[in-house]
Amino acid sequence: MPELIAPARRIFRYGGNMAKSTPDISVVVPVFDEEGAAPELAREIAAAFAGRDFEIVFVDDHSRDNTRAALTALKGEIPQLRVLTHAKNSGQSRSIRTGVLASRGDVIVTLDGDGQNDPADGPGLVDALAAGPPGLVLVGGERVKRQDSAAKKFASKFGNGVRKRLLKDTANDTGCGLKAFRRDAFLRLPYFDHIHRYLPALMLREGYQVDFRPVNHRHRQTGQSKYTNLGRLWASASDLFGVMWLQSRSRLPGAVEEL
């Protein structure tokens, strides 16, 4: 099992002030053109994690609508809310990485910004992570009763089956955006676009342990999906071979001791 990076004291400048507090949990939400879903999602997250030491980090990936303004307007209502913005659209994986880098919590919870992931499942994943062995660094959600079209569910099932067989990552549903993981473990991973779909395989590659829990899945109430089956398939093919190559080049040293 690799040694986790000792958490350092992190201070970030945002909103013109120096933030020194270190919450236990950072909930990171990437959003792009989600002005209809994002405000209510922020409220649901705040309600789900009430009573815990947390922050909410929304990363607006250069939305073309009023997502940024809608979220900023909530900062008075939700004091734990932070809103980061990209100067240009960079994709979901880069948005997640931006949020994780800016986060102050040692435990990260991610969920999609379209409202289909249920924030009420987030604390359960955090608790499962905390109750696990020292080597457990990620607990991923597995969506039950998927609320998607038949075509999307078929494509997801097929893609997950191929990926699981080739990468042996033990995951039935890496497309679920709801995950809880250790910040330091995530930052050890090699970054590439679409990395968020391969976190279990990459965590295992580093010698960590991963686990999964069933989570709720909801209908999209507003907006529209940013992905198509064909686009996802095209990206997944090249990514899959890339991760297989990374796995083949991994050499773990076992225990590391300072003499």
Side-chain angles (χ1 to χ4, degrees):
M1 180 189 75
E3 180 185 2
L4 295 180
I5 302 171
R9 182 169 179 259
R10 295 185 293 277
I11 302 177
F12 291 90
R13 183 181 297 278
Y14 69 98
N17 299 311
M18 294 298 286
K20 297 182 180 180
S21 62
T22 53
D24 297 329
I25 304 163
S26 295
V27 184
V28 174
V29 188
V31 285
F32 175 60
D33 290 353
E34 295 290 359
E35 64 174 309
E40 183 57 29
L41 181 59
R43 293 186 178 100
E44 286 188 284
I45 294 169
F49 285 89
R52 300 182 185 234
D53 188 10
F54 71 98
E55 64 178 356
I56 307 171
V57 183
F58 271 78
V59 181
D60 176 57
D61 193 22
H62 198 64
S63 292
R64 300 161 297 184
D65 63 4
N66 292 319
T67 298
R68 185 183 312 180
L71 285 169
T72 303
L74 286 177
K75 294 181 71 174
E77 177 184 336
I78 306 173
Q80 299 90 348
L81 177 62
R82 298 168 58 191
V83 182
L84 282 63
T85 64
H86 282 169
K88 63 180 182 179
N89 184 265
S90 303
Q92 185 173 350
S93 282
R94 177 56 72 178
S95 297
I96 291 172
R97 184 169 175 81
T98 293
V100 173
L101 286 170
S103 293
R104 302 189 300 272
D106 292 325
V107 172
I108 305 294
V109 176
T110 62
L111 66 160
D112 293 338
D114 57 13
Q116 288 195 267
N117 295 142
D118 191 343
D121 288 318
L125 298 187
V126 172
D127 292 343
L129 182 64
L136 180 67
V137 298
L138 180 147
V139 178
E142 291 185 347
R143 294 167 288 186
V144 296
K145 299 181 180 179
R146 289 278 301 272
Q147 303 299 311
D148 287 319
S149 67
K152 190 171 183 179
K153 286 189 284 188
F154 174 79
S156 179
K157 184 176 181 179
F158 176 79
N160 276 311
V162 172
R163 187 215 67 256
K164 183 178 179 181
R165 181 172 182 178
L166 293 178
L167 299 184
K168 298 178 175 58
D169 61 6
T170 72
N172 293 319
D173 183 18
T174 60
C176 180
L178 187 53
K179 297 178 176 72
F181 53 82
R182 303 286 181 184
R183 179 182 185 271
D184 47 13
F186 176 86
L187 293 178
R188 283 177 178 262
L189 306 180
Y191 175 77
F192 56 89
D193 197 20
H194 299 145
I195 187 180
H196 65 281
R197 298 185 180 279
Y198 296 93
L199 292 185
L202 293 170
M203 293 293 191
L204 291 170
R205 175 182 180 268
E206 291 296 316
Y208 296 122
Q209 298 174 41
V210 300
D211 198 5
F212 306 93
R213 294 286 189 276
V215 296
N216 188 29
H217 192 239
R218 310 186 294 190
H219 283 287
R220 174 185 267 277
Q221 300 296 321
T222 66
Q224 58 185 1
S225 176
K226 310 305 185 295
Y227 300 99
T228 65
N229 287 340
L230 183 60
R232 188 181 287 110
L233 177 63
W234 176 256
S236 297
S238 60
D239 293 340
L240 184 58
F241 287 115
V243 175
M244 290 173 66
W245 180 84
L246 284 171
Q247 288 179 324
S248 72
R249 305 303 294 173
S250 175
R251 299 178 67 182
L252 296 175
V256 178
E257 299 181 4
E258 181 175 355
L259 304 178

